[in-house]
């Protein structure tokens, strides 16, 4: 039995922890127990974070100079709202910088995740191949029962 056949069989009979004992919780559809994140999904999320970063970098700062000037002018003319506007402007700038950093972290992390996940998959795939002559038609993958012996 090939690894894929054995894995498919194991997935259809797997116990779902969130539904164990019948005491509530969502139950996955048969055959969908794997946690799967497609590279395209990671790319879309990372791209959205990158776009938000670029838009916020200019859009979030466009009023900073005008608000700062207005706050200083109002404060100089003796209006209490000038000091309040200046304080609000400082808080806004801090929040924009924080959000920019968050967007950059998300985008960079997802780029790294995509690359490292592929590298991990390649590494695991290379090590789960049988070394030596193969039976014709065999892909060389190690079966799930053979892998299981490593964990006993």
């Amino acid at each position: 039995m090939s690894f894929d056949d054995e894995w498919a069989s194991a997935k259809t009979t797997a116990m779902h922890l969130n539904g164990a004992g019948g005491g509530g919780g969502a139950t996955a559809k048969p055959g969908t127990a794997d946690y799967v994140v497609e590279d395209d999904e990671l790319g879309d999320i990372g791209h959205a974070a990158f776009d938000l970063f670029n838009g916020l970098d200019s859009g979030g700062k466009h009023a900073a100079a005008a608000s700062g000037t207005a706050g200083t002018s109002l404060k100089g003319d003796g209006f209490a709202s000038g000091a309040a506007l200046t304080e609000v402007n400082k808080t806004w700038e801090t929040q924009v910088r924080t959000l920019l950093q968050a967007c950059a972290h998300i985008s960079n992390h997802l780029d790294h995740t995509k690359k490292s996940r592929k590298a991990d998959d390649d590494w695991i795939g290379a090590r789960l191949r049988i070394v030596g002559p193969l039976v014709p038609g065999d892909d060389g993958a190690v079966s799930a029962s053979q892998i299981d012996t490593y964990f006993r």
Side-chain angles (χ1 to χ4, degrees), residues 55-65 67-68 84-100:
L56 186 61
D57 192 31
S58 60
K61 296 177 180 178
H62 79 282
S67 297
L85 182 57
T86 301
E87 188 61 32
V88 167
N89 192 41
K90 287 179 188 175
T91 302
W92 174 258
E93 289 175 336
T94 300
Q95 295 300 318
V96 167
R97 283 192 307 272
T98 302
L99 188 53
L100 284 169

Side-chain angles (χ1 to χ4, degrees), residues 27-77:
T27 304
K29 296 177 187 172
T32 63
D34 284 345
Y35 174 71
V36 176
V37 177
E38 301 294 332
D39 284 344
D40 291 346
E41 292 170 351
L42 292 176
D44 289 346
I45 295 167
H47 185 70
F50 181 74
D51 286 346
L52 180 57
F53 177 89
N54 287 332
L56 186 61
D57 192 31
S58 60
K61 296 177 180 178
H62 79 282
S67 297
T69 302
T72 301
S73 179
L74 288 169
K75 190 176 175 182
D77 290 338

Side-chain angles (χ1 to χ4, degrees), residues 70-145:
T72 301
S73 179
L74 288 169
K75 190 176 175 182
D77 290 338
F79 290 99
S81 60
L85 182 57
T86 301
E87 188 61 32
V88 167
N89 192 41
K90 287 179 188 175
T91 302
W92 174 258
E93 289 175 336
T94 300
Q95 295 300 318
V96 167
R97 283 192 307 272
T98 302
L99 188 53
L100 284 169
Q101 289 175 358
C103 290
H105 284 300
I106 291 167
S107 180
N108 293 340
H109 177 72
L110 290 175
D111 286 344
H112 171 75
T113 299
K114 215 171 138 176
K115 290 174 188 167
S116 67
R117 191 173 75 90
K118 170 131 179 47
D120 289 347
D121 285 349
D122 292 345
W123 183 86
I124 290 168
R127 275 145 186 81
L128 291 180
R129 298 282 167 218
I130 298 171
V131 178
L134 300 174
V135 176
D138 191 352
D139 65 357
V142 177
S143 69
S145 59

Side-chain angles (χ1 to χ4, degrees), residues 1-10 128-129 138-145 147:
M1 177 182 282
S2 76
F3 174 81
D4 291 333
D5 294 338
E6 204 167 332
W7 183 245
S9 174
L128 291 180
R129 298 282 167 218
D138 191 352
D139 65 357
V142 177
S143 69
S145 59
I147 293 170

